Amino acid sequence: MSGDNSFVVVANRLPVDLHTAPDGTRTWTPSPGGLVAALSPVLEHQQGCWVGWPGVSDEAPEPFRTDAGVLLHPVRLTEADYEGFYEGFSNASLWPLYHDLIVTPVYHREWWSAYRDVNLRFALEVAEVAAEGATVWVQDYQLQLLPGILRQMRPDLRIGFFLHIPFPSPDLFRQLPWRDEIIRGLLGADLIGFHLESNARNFLDLCAATEGLTVEGNAGTRRTDAHVVTHDGHRVAVGAFPISIDAASLGEGEEGGVDKLRAELGDPETVILGVDRLDYTKGILQRLLAFEELLESEALDPATTVLMQVATPSRERIEQYRVARSQVEEAVGRINGTFGAMGRPVVHYLHQSLPKSELRTYYEAADVMLVTPFKDGMNLVAKEYVACHGDGSGALVLSEFAGAAVELNEAHLCNPFDLESIKRALLTAVQGLAGAPEATAERMLAMHRQVAEYDVNRWADAFLTSLEETR
Ligand code: GDG
């Protein structure tokens, strides 16, 4: 069983959206995104293939080529698959476990069995489309069994795996009932990439403590000095490859857009911004509470300060996401009830996904960006904000627990578990804009250089070069 694609990307989600016209006509259109942008050059150059779920249960279009020649190969998932594999095991078991138990993970045997089945189905599809000796790049926590299954089916393939979320410490990981299967699944790859050296070290420590595995070397960034050797002699390289953004995909800001937005907000002196998927890992409630306390203590003035929070709808059928949403919305209501005026809220809140161009205007307009996750693999929002402030304007408040804090260490770092720490960082950032403009600009420019130099293409190149070197 083999196809004719020499480069195959596999991700839970295929980069397509289903559009239904008013007359009911349905069309599948390629959807842009950071990962697509990063991988497009290789995919297009090699006329590669992307395997994934098209985003709608119980149906899938026939495989089709994008205008640029990339083959999109859908994997059909039933509603039951979606519930057990995606909402259940991926997002109610693995997601909280890998984000250090911010909420309690739930483990169900039926979810695990759905996860195994779906990983097997993905493997069958990949085995069908991949050419002899092809390079296959598997993305993220939904597909951790795929490398192991694929290696058994197709030992000729060169398999890379990248984890987009953190990898927890061995002590936490060991609570997973199917820990051995996951480790073996991952070790089917030739190269396993994480965002940070600390994630890679967690994985290496876990392997070192697992019978039959030996670990050589230490994890490096954008290179692979570390290897895990399995009992049958298969060598798996392990490294840290911090993801970044495609500055070009942020597009151009709308001419005059910033002035228009600030006027709509009532021309405040200070605009503070948060942009997140509505996820309990992102610390949205905590930042609202910190903002509220600063208003209460009159450290911030509601007449001259506004907070804009964009919370993109996410995983809405999972109980803990519903709870997170209602807590956030209750806080927004309370803060506006206390500190707003008619027609002049102090928190502007959207529970919607905005077009990228609009998001860019928000980033440009914001004096302070608040990024306060309890745990985050990287956090691209922080990097996108920095990318929009190449003129040195603005300030970034960033959680120490976001992967991005390793590279963006000129941000105002805070501990999101400590409201006082968020308050301090936010206030320092706001006051620094007027009080220490040069130092503030220097910090932003240093971060901008970092993001401009290590963009998402560097990430993809570094990973794929390391993967080639394992041959
Ligand atoms: C996972 C990891 C890691 C948000 N709202 C809108 C919108 N967005 C875009 C942002 C950004 C992306 O979504 C979010 O990326 P993050 O990195 O911040 O967070 P996750 O979704 O949790 O991503 C994370 C990432 O994978 C990559 O490896 O960094 O740690 O959790 O690009 O701009 N985009 C549009 N409208 C919105 O309203 N168009």
Side-chain angles (χ1 to χ4, degrees), residues 95 99 140 162-166 195 243 245 250 275-277 279 281-282 310 312 315 352-356 359 363 376-382 384:
W95 180 269
H99 287 87
D140 226 358
F162 187 80
L163 187 68
H164 289 263
I165 66 175
H195 287 305
I243 201 169
I245 58 160
L250 286 170
V275 175
D276 314 75
R277 270 187 312 100
D279 193 299
T281 59
K282 302 286 184 185
V310 180
T312 314
R315 306 176 193 167
Q352 314 168 10
S353 179
L354 302 176
K356 255 302 173 308
L359 201 57
Y363 284 141
D376 217 329
M378 176 55 66
N379 195 293
L380 296 178
V381 165
E384 288 165 4

Side-chain angles (χ1 to χ4, degrees), residues 9-22:
V9 171
V10 201
N12 168 56
R13 192 71 165 78
L14 202 64
V16 294
D17 287 322
L18 177 62
H19 292 279
T20 309

Side-chain angles (χ1 to χ4, degrees), residues 283-350:
I284 304 172
L285 176 63
Q286 268 53 30
R287 85 179 64 131
L288 288 167
L289 297 177
F291 182 62
E292 183 177 32
E293 290 192 7
L294 289 170
L295 295 171
E296 264 160 14
S297 66
E298 298 181 10
L300 290 178
D301 179 358
T304 59
T305 313
V306 300
L307 170 60
M308 296 197 291
Q309 175 65 54
V310 180
T312 314
S314 182
R315 306 176 193 167
E316 293 192 280
R317 301 201 308 190
I318 300 174
E319 171 67 13
Q320 284 139 337
Y321 285 78
R322 284 205 289 260
V323 171
R325 177 176 175 193
S326 69
Q327 289 173 337
V328 163
E329 295 183 351
E330 186 187 317
V332 170
R334 190 181 58 238
I335 299 170
N336 281 333
T338 310
F339 298 102
M342 280 301 166
R344 233 191 46 230
V346 60
V347 181
H348 296 254
Y349 169 79
L350 292 180

Side-chain angles (χ1 to χ4, degrees), residues 381-404:
V381 165
K383 291 190 170 181
E384 288 165 4
Y385 177 75
V386 168
C388 294
H389 288 265
D391 59 355
S393 62
L396 174 65
V397 172
L398 179 61
S399 161
E400 295 164 22
F401 299 99

